[in-house]
Each structure stands twice: as C-alpha cells, then as structure tokens.
Amino acid sequence: LRRQEKKTMSRYLDPKNDLIFKRIFGEHKELCISLLNSLLPLKKPITSIEYRATELTPETKLLKNTSVDVQCIASDGSIFIVEMQMHWTQHFQQRVLLNASKAYVKQLKVGESFKFLHPVYSLNLVNEVYDKRTTDYYHHYKIVNVHNTEQQIKGLEFVFVELPKFKAATRSHKKLQVLWLRFLTELNNGTDTVSDDFNKDKNLKAALELAKRGNYDSDELDMYDRVLDAIMTHRMFIEDAEEKGEKKGKAKGREEERIEVVLNSHRVGIPIETIAQISGLTIDQVKGILTQ
C-alpha cells in the first residue's frame, strides 16, 4: 500500500499569528537560524545567534519608536531582523527601512571606527500580495549602482516574501526553504493534518510541536483569538473602504478604520506592539490615538 502523505495529528495554530510566530522564532535559536539560513542569500551559513531586544528605541525625535518580531545577532556580528506582516500597507517598506537603518546606526558607539559596523539583513514575510506585476514571491533588495548592479554598497539588505504567491509545488529553491514556506502557508487556524515532510527535518518537527494548540494555556489562547479577531476586523474595514470608490473617501475611510482597529484592539487587551503590527502604524502613532 502506498504510504499516505498526511496523517491526523493534534490541532495546530497559525504560525503567522504574532503570538505563535514569536514563540517559535523568537524563543528558539535553532529554529530562527534554520529559517534565516534557508531564506536569506548568505555567503556563509549562520551557526549561532543571540537575541536582541526587539524594541528599537529612537535616539532623536526624527526616529519614531517601532517594534519588530525578532531581532538577533550572529557570531560574526551580522544583525538579522525578522518580521511577519499580516497586512500590506503602503508605508510598510519605509518602516522596514527605518528599522534596519536604526539597527545599523546603533551598532557604533561614540568614538568608534566605521570599520566596526556589521551588515544588517531584514527578512519580511508578508501574508498578502503587494506586487501584482510579477508572479515572483521572493524579492531581494540591496544598495547597488544603477548602471552596474555588481557594484554594491554593503551594509543593508532586504528580503520580502509574498506568502500567498508561494506554491507547494515550487522546487526551484533549496528544499529547506520550501519546507519553511510550506510550514508558514499550510498551517492555519484549526489545521488538523500536516504533511509527513515536516517530520523529516528536526527543526521543522520542533516548530510543529510549538504550533500545537495543547502547548498553550487559556490566557495565551485567548490572546491568540484576540489577535485573529483584530486581523479580521482590520481586513473587513479595508475591504469596506476600498468599495467606497473615491480616493479621498478611501483615504478618510482607512484613517477612520485604523483608529477603530486601534481602539477596539486596546479595549480587549491586545498589547500596543501587536496593535502597531496589525494596523501598520508605529507604536508612537498607536499611543497618540489612545491618548486622544
């Protein structure tokens, strides 16, 4: 008899949810290393990391306070920022650039030489399609000479992955990259069955265990559901705003929608950092709405 690819297992939670994503990749170094090595265009694989505080505190009034999902530093000094973005907004790329720039600048202490600066890599997993001009789901950006792209100013590199574009049949990249992307796209809220392929890698197997609903207490599950509700509310308001037609009406509707999302999310106890991620606003902007 042919072995079935899938088997019934415990109920799983969506690893894209803020709570689950941070538990898997923000608390287990070996899983974060595996994800980074599989998705980033690195010349040498990462062998060890240390987590850094995800809060990027500004040093001037021009640098707004924002938060990221996971930030870590490798043994060679390279810095890695990982974000899971459930909704695409027009200013998300600017926020990514700001966070990476702050991480790059804050390396250097007063009086130190620029030679001590290490590269910053920003990995951004986006659960929406934002570039409809291409079927490519993997986008790698770096600072290059426009006439000769082989000439690069090193220091900042960005990778954006449009998860909805990824198809499980894609085998053009390394097997591990495909497995991690399948893990993020095939597991959703309430998933009961998973592919046996995930059990062939120790890190994917460990990540599956961390995604099991049974590993979370009632308070954590309540928070998980609140984040899901906030995401659904945000999506609903965006769809309603887009149906109104007029650009001016859309802009006004989106602004009102963001305010309502912030207020409703805060009312049910969702942390400000998570509200900022859901709404696409900075933490300072969220705080400003809450203090109005």
Side-chain angles (χ1 to χ4, degrees):
L1 294 178
R2 183 179 178 181
R3 184 179 178 181
Q4 293 183 342
E5 182 186 6
K6 295 185 176 181
K7 59 182 180 180
T8 302
M9 298 184 71
S10 302
R11 191 175 180 83
Y12 293 94
L13 300 174
D14 190 342
K16 296 184 292 297
N17 185 287
D18 186 66
L19 173 70
I20 313 304
F21 189 86
K22 288 182 179 178
R23 176 68 59 84
I24 294 173
F25 300 109
E27 298 181 13
H28 297 81
K29 296 178 182 180
E30 66 281 4
L31 305 186
C32 186
I33 289 173
S34 179
L35 180 75
L36 292 171
N37 280 335
S38 68
L39 289 176
L40 290 179
L42 304 172
K43 292 183 178 180
K44 294 182 179 180
I46 304 166
T47 57
S48 65
I49 61 171
E50 292 296 331
Y51 288 119
R52 305 178 75 188
T54 57
E55 191 78 10
L56 293 173
T57 305
E59 295 181 0
T60 73
K61 292 181 179 180
L62 295 176
L63 297 180
K64 297 298 183 181
N65 189 16
T66 57
S67 179
V68 299
D69 288 327
V70 179
Q71 185 176 174
C72 57
I73 183 169
S75 56
D76 67 353
S78 298
I79 296 172
F80 302 91
I81 297 174
V82 186
E83 287 210 54
M84 177 67 240
Q85 183 73 9
M86 295 301 287
H87 295 291
W88 178 260
T89 62
Q90 292 299 318
H91 60 270
F92 177 64
Q93 282 181 317
Q94 283 69 42
R95 185 163 71 86
V96 167
L97 178 61
L98 179 64
N99 282 334
S101 299
K102 284 193 286 184
Y104 187 76
V105 170
K106 290 182 67 176
Q107 295 180 71
L108 205 61
K109 297 179 181 179
V110 176
E112 284 188 337
S113 170
F114 289 111
K115 69 180 181 181
F116 293 112
L117 288 169
H118 296 282
V120 174
Y121 298 88
S122 177
L123 173 61
N124 304 277
L125 304 162
V126 185
N127 199 40
E128 284 191 354
V129 172
Y130 69 85
D131 189 352
K132 296 180 174 61
R133 299 166 299 178
T134 176
T135 58
D136 295 339
Y137 64 85
Y138 188 94
H139 309 279
H140 178 206
Y141 301 91
K142 54 187 178 180
I143 304 172
V144 298
N145 185 314
V146 294
H147 298 296
N148 183 358
T149 56
E150 294 299 318
Q151 296 179 359
Q152 177 189 358
I153 297 177
K154 297 182 179 180
L156 296 176
E157 291 193 40
F158 306 86
V159 168
F160 291 82
V161 180
E162 296 176 277
L163 293 177
K165 285 184 180 178
F166 171 78
K167 304 301 180 185
T170 301
R171 303 294 176 183
S172 60
H173 293 283
K174 295 179 181 179
K175 176 70 172 179
L176 191 56
Q177 182 184 96
V178 172
L179 285 175
W180 274 121
L181 292 178
R182 286 181 59 192
F183 172 79
L184 291 169
T185 55
E186 292 180 14
L187 267 71
N188 293 291
N189 187 45
T191 297
D192 288 315
T193 59
V194 295
S195 172
D196 284 335
D197 288 343
F198 296 140
N199 290 312
K200 297 176 182 179
D201 179 85
K202 66 177 183 179
N203 291 316
L204 265 299
K205 187 175 182 179
L208 277 178
E209 183 66 27
L210 291 168
K212 287 183 179 179
R213 178 178 291 271
N215 290 326
Y216 298 84
D217 60 33
S218 58
D219 289 338
E220 291 171 324
L221 291 174
D222 183 51
M223 178 59 66
Y224 173 87
D225 289 334
R226 289 179 183 180
V227 172
L228 283 181
D229 290 341
I231 291 171
M232 291 177 63
T233 300
H234 183 70
R235 182 177 291 116
M236 179 187 68
F237 280 126
I238 288 179
E239 291 174 353
D240 288 345
E242 289 177 344
E243 288 176 1
K244 292 180 180 178
E246 291 293 332
K247 278 189 175 182
K248 189 173 181 181
K250 285 182 181 180
K252 183 178 179 181
R254 285 174 180 170
E255 182 65 25
E256 293 174 348
E257 163 261 314
R258 286 194 183 99
I259 293 174
E260 190 162 352
V261 167
V262 170
L263 295 176
N264 289 339
S265 299
H266 181 67
R267 194 173 294 119
V268 297
I270 295 178
I272 289 178
E273 292 80 4
T274 303
I275 296 175
Q277 182 189 40
I278 293 171
S279 64
L281 300 172
T282 67
I283 291 179
D284 278 348
Q285 289 172 325
V286 171
K287 289 179 178 178
I289 292 173
L290 295 176
T291 55
Q292 287 178 355

